[in-house]
Amino acid sequence: WKTYVGRPEADQYRIRGFGILGGALRLNGQYAEALPMMEAALALTQRYWSHDEQAILQLQDNLASCLVDVGWCDEALVLRREIYARWVATLGVSHERTILSGTNLLGVLLKLDLWDEVKWLARDQLLPAAQRSLGADHTLTLDLNVKLTGATMLNSKSSRNDLRLNQHRFSRHRR
């Protein structure tokens, strides 16, 4: 990273260096140290490369993951919602990247025990889009089914009908 310190602030390699260092620290479990690197990469990209929305969304996604890692799930939720909304607006609801972003949003919703929102987003939004565009056997579709089933089982407000619907969905998939 020292190679990039002397470069101009707007230099893309300097900015990428912050992002790469943040990612490496996060992968090494050094979440608190990764966070400022990821924030710097995002801030500089937003300032000097604001036209590159996909790069900004990817950096926001990395930052949201790091926020979850340090236990700041409320902040991560705000960011994940923003990211998902931008992917929907940019690529549409049925694009694989959008569905992945929605799956990441579900993960934070589950951590915060927001069962009703998990159920609505997974069952009514993401699963139909994933089944339609990716197919029933795609890993994202399967992951959505698992998350929805887990949320239904963990939610004390789930009805017997909700549980039966989940059982039906899995038994239909096995055929």
Side-chain angles (χ1 to χ4, degrees):
W1 67 271
K2 291 181 181 181
T3 304
Y4 305 109
V5 171
R7 298 184 76 86
E9 186 178 70
D11 183 81
Q12 67 177 339
Y13 298 109
R14 181 176 190 255
I15 296 169
R16 284 184 190 170
F18 281 121
I20 291 168
L21 177 58
L25 288 168
R26 182 175 173 260
L27 288 175
N28 197 37
Q30 296 173 278
Y31 310 124
E33 293 83 359
L35 195 57
M37 296 295 111
M38 293 180 167
E39 289 171 331
L42 176 59
L44 291 169
T45 302
Q46 288 173 323
R47 183 179 310 147
Y48 297 112
W49 300 91
S50 59
H51 62 280
D52 193 350
E53 185 168 17
Q54 290 196 6
I56 290 171
L57 287 170
Q58 186 59 54
L59 288 167
Q60 286 177 320
D61 191 58
N62 293 342
L63 179 59
S65 295
C66 194
L67 288 169
V68 170
D69 292 337
V70 297
W72 297 354
C73 292
D74 291 324
E75 292 83 353
L77 179 60
V78 171
L79 197 50
R80 288 269 188 231
R81 284 182 171 147
E82 179 183 325
I83 295 164
Y84 177 66
R86 289 304 312 145
W87 281 121
V88 168
T90 304
L91 300 174
V93 72
S94 295
H95 193 279
E96 185 175 0
R97 186 65 192 108
T98 304
I99 295 167
L100 177 61
S101 178
T103 304
N104 291 339
L105 173 55
L106 283 177
V108 179
L109 292 169
L110 285 167
K111 279 191 173 289
L112 293 171
D113 299 336
L114 298 173
W115 310 116
D116 292 336
E117 195 169 346
V118 167
K119 192 165 98 173
W120 174 82
L121 183 62
R123 189 182 62 198
D124 300 340
Q125 301 292 312
L126 295 172
L127 254 172
Q131 289 170 339
R132 199 173 43 252
S133 63
L134 305 174
D137 291 330
H138 192 278
T139 55
L140 280 176
T141 308
L142 296 171
D143 189 37
L144 286 167
N145 272 310
V146 167
K147 285 185 176 174
L148 178 57
T149 300
T152 304
M153 290 173 43
L154 293 172
N155 184 358
S156 61
K157 296 179 190 174
S158 290
S159 67
R160 285 180 179 247
N161 190 46
D162 290 333
L163 295 169
R164 273 191 225 111
L165 286 172
N166 278 340
Q167 182 181 8
H168 176 70
R169 185 175 18 267
F170 273 106
S171 65
R172 185 180 50 190
H173 181 71
R174 282 186 293 172
R175 288 186 217 145

